[in-house]
Amino acid sequence: MITCEQLSRRFRGPDREIAALDNVSFSIERGEFAVIKGASGSGKSTLLLALGGMQRPTQGRVVLDGQEVYALAPDARNRLRAQSIGFVFQLFHLVPYLNVRENVVAGLPDGAHRADAQRRTDALLESLGLSARARHLPGTLSAGERQRTALARALVKQPAVILADEPTGNLDPANAAEVFQHLDAFRRNGGTVVVVTHGDDAARFAQRTLRLDAGRLIDSGTPTSTPS
Amino acid sequence: MNTLRLILRELRHHRLNALLSLAGLTGAVALLVIIQMTTTAAARETRRVMRDLGFNLRIIPKATDMDHFWAHGFSDQTMPADTVTRLAAQQGIFVTFNHLTPALEGRLALGDREFLLTGVGDSVVGPGEAKQPMGFKIARGHVYLGSTVAQHLKAKRGSTLPLKTRDFNVERVLAESGTEEDVRIFTSLADAQELLGHPGRINEIKAIDCLCLTADKDPLAQLRAALEKALPEAKVLQLRTMADARARQRQMTERYARFAVPVVLIVAAVWLGLLAWLNVRDRQAEVGLWRALGHGSTRIAGLFLGKALLLGIAGALVGYAIGTTVALRYGAELFQVTAKSLAAEPSLLLWALVLAPGFSAVASLLPALQAVTQDPAESLRAD
């Protein structure tokens, strides 16, 4: 499903080059719930963005569903993101001038079937407990509601994979658990989930835990069929 | 969700930025409309004032004895009366000369004194110009009297003046001007030709130079070159002081527009560019998000440039309305002579509707490019 081969990403620092990712290789299978752990600055977010086609690696390659992400033309890579990848961020990143429903619809790729999109949006708002807030702007929502809206936006396109960057970093334990439960439900329906986090709150949903330290993969984990 | 809807929602959300941008565009359009309307009015005013100053060119036969001319005030030579129509028929002559007015001047004895008699024919103006005569338009059998003449003859309006064998009606007594006009008797050209014994002849074509001539390019040389080509048997004299006054007045109006227009455009461009840049900076995370959702550069640039175009259209409409209102309200006080001709110029609205959105888009181009090229990973870290 997702394969990283010798992935490196270096940034130019003020006095020397910094390796955010250093020769990272691993594979994640379809339907897997993988957690990438590491301390702040270990390269987790860079790795996630690189997997999502948003951070071109200095070297190495990313293959998603058989397509080499960075070998694709920009338009094709945009299409791949629009159709196959759902992002969830710690800071939610909702469009502030669109209401909850519109934020969810914004996650649909261009040309999505209108009636299907409507039905899926309604179902997601219902299942995530957001129906009553559908016309509210993000500024009026609680943190939990914002993250559930962001989750709905990622799920509405029925992606192959959800890449979540510290999705519960700004949530209380109850809301955090709810978010992981929804991600796990997506996984149980055949989706692939990659979560980067520095905490342990995803541990009970993870089938596999990879560990990063200073940009290097120090533990690629052992896949298990059931969550640990 | 389509781009237009997103832009409208964003405009409503970031009201202050939108209002400040709109204010900048509106102000620029309004100022440009005011400048254009008042410049046009000023040009009209200049033309009127300059025309009221009178003719500043005298075209006389080349063989004129200049000692006689300056001593007596008229040429001792004559030319056919149709010279003026011949001159007017020359291609491009109205680029340098205008208000071509044939005249015949000479001395006429009246009792124990001699007066200057001036017969004035119909003016010929350039194509498309209002045919308002610059000099007098006097019907046959009528005279205008200079103030000194009228005083000496004890003539007043409506009295009869015998000239040679005919009686003329004094149609008007001119106010004292302090010039040689005070000692002149004005008649129609035909009457003067009869009274002075030169039927079908004139000895001068009075004219006015074109406002397009500039002092720095030696207008007299241009006038002489044009006349030499069109009418080699004549020469032209220019009343330099009057001509220079005309040129200076026109150049002042042009300089005012040349200074004001770029200043308005530069200030507006900086203002809009700055606001667009702030908008891009505020929306850095949003730009990253659109990238994450799979939107390409065209869509993202469209969000910013589309917004600039919409604001440009709104700014053109509001700016035109405000500019026109202000120009009509206060322009009349500035340009009292041509106040009545100060009118709304609908063509400016069309120009504004084309140029303001384009200008707004150009001013927002760099910030839009910044949005398109920024690193999405960096954008998503911003909040």
Side-chain angles (χ1 to χ4, degrees), chain A residues 45-46 49 54-55 78-79 81-82 85 87 89 91 93-99 102 105-107 110 153 157, chain B residues 1 5-6 9-10 13 283 285-286 288-296 299 375-377 380-383:
Chain A
S45 296
T46 303
L49 292 171
M54 291 186 63
Q55 181 89 80
N78 288 337
R79 262 199 309 280
R81 266 204 305 275
I85 303 171
F87 279 99
F89 302 100
L91 296 173
H93 290 315
L94 300 176
V95 182
Y97 49 86
L98 299 181
N99 64 32
E102 290 162 339
V105 171
D110 285 339
R153 181 182 62 199
K157 67 174 86 166
Chain B
M1 187 172 283
R5 204 163 158 207
L6 280 174
R9 300 294 289 274
E10 194 275 331
H13 186 75
R283 297 170 68 190
E286 184 195 328
L289 172 73
W290 291 121
R291 289 272 191 216
L293 293 177
H295 295 292
R299 178 86 189 266
D375 180 355
L380 288 166
R381 287 188 186 111
D383 202 38

Side-chain angles (χ1 to χ4, degrees), chain A residues 148-196:
Chain A
R148 277 181 276 142
T149 304
L151 194 56
R153 181 182 62 199
L155 291 167
V156 72
K157 67 174 86 166
Q158 297 179 310
V161 59
I162 285 185
L163 303 174
D165 187 1
E166 303 276 10
T168 57
N170 281 336
L171 303 182
D172 58 48
N175 275 307
E178 194 179 345
V179 165
F180 280 124
Q181 277 159 10
H182 287 295
L183 287 174
D184 192 48
F186 169 72
R187 193 267 311 163
R188 275 187 270 111
N189 287 325
T192 305
V193 178
V194 181
V195 174
V196 302

